[in-house]
Amino acid sequence: MRTLSVFNFISLDGCFEGPVKGDISWHKHDEEGRAFSAEKLGQGNMLLFGRVTYDIMSSYWPSEAALRSDSIEAERMNRAEKIVFSRTLDRASWNNTTVIKDDIVGRVREIKRSEGKNMTILGSGSIVTLFAAHGLIDEYQFMVDPVVLGNGTRIFDGIEKQLELTLTGTRVFRNGCVLLSYKQKGDG
């Protein structure tokens, strides 16, 4: 059975994006962070996105700028199998991407039960909230930046059930970011 994890940047006040939709300019991405991202992408997980995050990612990673400045991450992002959840997209322009339009909870349950690569959600707050509410997420990883945005979209915005999580790991980065890893309480 496949696992589903989440990786998100968040501010100290729990925002995964600033007041402008898709804004993560406040995140401190440096060489240590790039190496960590390349390592995580090297695991070969299938990547899952909501449409807004997909639009941001698909406009950057295949670009010449990404290939020049973030070559290892770009190569791994572009090669990865990807799913975008969208009611409005009919087809995806980024290579190796499948569009899922309907019954996304049911479809992810099916994918989790099948053989294949583990899955990671990047960004995509509404998808994270939906899948968390349905108990589909096995692991949460949050890169907490030492910044308070004051305004923005909070992770788990609108969730109506309490999530019981167990801390499974921490890592402190030189730039002040802290990676917090959690699993659902009671999961082995």
Side-chain angles (χ1 to χ4, degrees), residues 112-164:
K112 281 188 76 169
R113 286 191 298 262
S114 69
E115 293 294 319
K117 297 175 181 176
N118 290 330
M119 301 173 287
T120 301
I121 303 169
L122 299 178
S124 309
S126 62
I127 298 299
V128 170
T129 300
L130 177 66
F131 292 169
H134 284 87
L136 292 172
I137 299 173
D138 302 294
E139 181 181 22
Y140 299 85
Q141 291 190 327
F142 298 112
M143 178 76 72
V144 182
D145 278 74
V147 63
V148 174
L149 297 178
N151 192 4
T153 307
R154 293 189 183 355
I155 196 72
F156 303 118
D157 191 28
I159 197 158
E160 296 180 2
K161 77 176 219 174
Q162 184 171 322
L163 298 176
E164 295 286 332

Side-chain angles (χ1 to χ4, degrees), residues 9 11-12 22 67-68 85 105 107 139:
F9 308 131
S11 63
L12 280 173
L67 294 170
R68 266 193 317 278
F85 302 103
V105 169
R107 294 287 301 277
E139 181 181 22

Side-chain angles (χ1 to χ4, degrees), residues 52-110:
V52 172
T53 302
Y54 172 81
D55 287 346
I56 294 165
M57 298 287 200
S58 67
S59 69
Y60 177 69
W61 290 111
S63 73
E64 288 299 319
L67 294 170
R68 266 193 317 278
S69 64
D70 300 308
S71 61
I72 295 170
E73 292 170 278
E75 184 270 325
R76 291 177 177 172
M77 289 289 287
N78 292 322
R79 182 179 36 161
E81 186 178 353
K82 297 170 275 294
I83 293 176
V84 58
F85 302 103
S86 174
R87 290 182 294 273
T88 58
L89 285 178
D90 290 319
R91 61 183 179 76
S93 58
W94 196 7
N95 65 314
N96 304 323
T97 303
T98 301
V99 178
I100 296 180
K101 295 172 89 74
D102 300 311
D103 187 24
I104 65 176
V105 169
R107 294 287 301 277
V108 168
R109 277 195 178 111
E110 284 175 27

Side-chain angles (χ1 to χ4, degrees), residues 137-138 140 163-167 182-188:
I137 299 173
D138 302 294
Y140 299 85
L163 298 176
E164 295 286 332
L165 305 176
T166 300
L167 183 68
Y182 297 93
K183 288 196 178 212
Q184 280 291 126
K185 196 168 250 184
D187 286 356

